[in-house]
Amino acid sequence: MTKIAPQPGIMDIAPYQGGAAHVEGIANAVKLSSNENPYGPSDAARDAFRKAAFDLHRYPSPDHGALRRAIADVHGLDPDRIICGAGSDEIISFLCQAYAGPGEDVVHTEHGFGMYRISALANGANPVEAPERERVTDVDAILAACTDATRLVFVANPNNPTGTMVGEAELARLADNLPDRALLVLDGAYAEYVEGYDGGAALVEARENVVMTRTFSKLYGLGGLRIGWGYGPAHVLDALNRVRGPFNLSTAALAAAEAAVRDTAWVEKCRADNTRLRAWLAEALAEHGVPSDTSTANFILARFASQAEAEACDEHLKSEGLIVRRVAGYNLPNCLRITVGDESSCRRVAHAVGQFMKVAR
Ligand SMILES: *Cc1c(COP(=O)(O)O)cnc(C)c1O
């Protein structure tokens, strides 16, 4: 028997389950399982990526200066307190590396994003789950889950996979009442979909214990490039930048993201389309007897009568070439998470769910 063993916690990690991309026997299935932008990135981002092909022999910028300035310009932030990573997943990982270790707690919400737990365990910390109230973040439950051992509190707002969100006053109350050594992380992966929402930037500005994470993977349509960013108080950025490798982002990713963030017209077009089609899809599913909470993101959490019904509907959708996401792993066995695709995808999903429900009940 080998005596070689990984660090405590590592073997407790259940590997992350990504959204399926293919259905056996069906060419060109529609992928609605990973909350990707159905239209892809802006043309400006594609052009910047192509141009980067001429510089592939050069190491990338180690400080991401141009991208941080672009983000700061567009969002009205301080570029010195922005950090960029290989997806916001890498920012989550930096936060856990820098702030959470053995004997310490990382609090996340009941139906929170799976990477919080994985990152906590990877660093030897204990993930602690705070209950939600009817699939909505419950600030009192989070505060009740906090102790002197709490180092990080992750709240996705809007949350994935529920699509629900809480208001800024609730988030401020949470930040105000956390234990002294706990840092609140507001995961704004879907913030762009909420008109007028700053993702928590104002809370970061007003406090020493709040960090915001953002991504180019969802509305910006750059999931394949792996790029995200974080914003926080200077003392946190000082710690995170010591953990970050100097060349964690490729030249192509930096260039595409810079063009993407500056193309605010594309952001507005995608947000407006999503808002319209999301309302249409939710209404269509409700008419077929499948309710969902009011979503503020680019997906809908469709609720069925039972796990068996949700799984049977998933099988039917698959047979129609439509790939959605089962969320039993998020403690939502009777639900399916459906990304808001383009108009034809939304119509196909609504039609297929309607067909299924006629036979199911
Ligand atoms: C998709 C997602 C992310 C991160 O994705 P990256 O591609 O790593 O930027 C982070 N948080 C939530 C809640 C998400 O849904």
Side-chain angles (χ1 to χ4, degrees):
M1 258 306 260
T2 179
K3 294 208 161 108
I4 300 168
Q7 289 290 309
I10 302 293
M11 299 313 289
D12 298 330
I13 297 174
Y16 183 81
Q17 302 274 338
H22 306 282
V23 189
E24 214 176 286
I26 295 184
N28 308 321
V30 179
K31 187 177 178 223
L32 303 170
S33 56
S34 297
N35 301 338
E36 295 150 337
N37 184 334
Y39 314 109
S42 86
D43 287 340
R46 286 185 214 268
D47 288 345
F49 180 82
R50 271 190 217 100
K51 281 195 194 116
F54 295 98
D55 280 317
L56 295 183
H57 55 305
R58 303 287 180 206
Y59 268 90
S61 152
D63 69 2
H64 312 149
L67 176 58
R68 287 188 295 107
R69 279 189 297 278
I71 293 169
D73 281 355
V74 170
H75 293 280
L77 304 176
D78 172 3
D80 292 339
R81 288 187 286 129
I82 294 171
I83 182 171
C84 303
S88 46
D89 282 357
E90 196 183 27
I91 310 291
I92 293 167
S93 171
F94 291 158
L95 285 160
C96 288
Q97 284 179 59
Y99 290 99
E104 298 176 335
D105 291 351
V106 173
V107 174
H108 62 83
T109 57
E110 181 182 357
H111 309 297
F113 184 50
M115 288 308 298
Y116 309 146
R117 184 183 166 80
I118 291 175
S119 254
L121 287 169
N123 290 284
N126 315 312
V128 174
E129 184 180 301
E132 297 182 22
R133 206 186 309 118
E134 295 280 306
R135 299 169 302 280
V136 180
T137 295
D138 180 344
V139 165
D140 292 308
I142 294 172
L143 290 172
C146 287
T147 68
D148 288 345
T150 307
R151 295 292 174 269
L152 291 165
V153 174
F154 283 99
V155 174
N157 203 44
N159 187 45
N160 169 22
T162 58
T164 61
M165 71 185 294
V166 291
E168 196 170 339
E170 276 296 272
L171 296 175
R173 185 166 75 83
L174 176 58
D176 282 344
N177 290 288
L178 286 178
D180 289 346
R181 290 193 60 184
L183 183 59
L184 173 61
V185 183
L186 296 175
D187 180 337
Y190 303 95
E192 286 80 9
Y193 288 106
V194 184
E195 174 118 55
Y197 176 51
D198 69 1
L203 278 179
V204 173
E205 296 291 3
R207 285 173 175 73
E208 289 289 310
N209 66 343
V210 182
V211 175
M212 166 177 81
T213 64
R214 303 286 285 265
T215 184
F216 285 93
S217 302
K218 305 290 161 54
L219 182 135
Y220 291 98
L222 292 172
L225 270 188
R226 310 307 305 130
I227 183 151
W229 55 282
Y231 189 59
H235 69 96
V236 173
L237 266 288
D238 187 27
L240 299 185
N241 275 318
R242 290 165 200 261
V243 174
R244 180 180 71 80
F247 305 116
N248 62 323
L249 290 177
S250 69
T251 306
L254 289 165
E258 185 185 340
V261 75
R262 291 198 187 277
D263 190 350
T264 54
W266 183 248
V267 173
E268 273 163 39
K269 176 231 166 351
C270 295
R271 177 195 299 132
D273 271 21
N274 179 70
T275 302
R276 176 174 60 84
L277 290 168
R278 181 181 63 204
W280 183 88
L281 181 61
E283 173 91 30
L285 297 193
E287 280 170 15
H288 295 311
V290 179
S292 54
D293 299 309
T294 300
S295 172
T296 53
N298 67 335
F299 55 85
I300 279 171
L301 186 69
R303 283 206 311 283
F304 294 84
S306 64
Q307 175 161 10
E309 191 179 87
E311 288 177 359
C313 186
D314 183 40
E315 289 303 321
H316 177 69
L317 290 170
K318 247 193 254 171
S319 72
E320 295 290 316
L322 298 162
I323 308 174
V324 303
R325 184 74 158 262
R326 289 193 192 188
V327 282
Y330 283 91
N331 220 349
L332 294 161
N334 62 325
C335 298
L336 295 175
R337 193 193 68 192
I338 306 171
T339 302
V340 177
D342 60 13
E343 183 151 351
S344 101
S345 310
C346 288
R347 286 187 188 281
R348 283 179 60 186
V349 168
H351 180 73
V353 170
Q355 274 179 332
F356 169 79
M357 291 302 286
K358 262 194 211 122
V359 186
R361 290 198 193 150

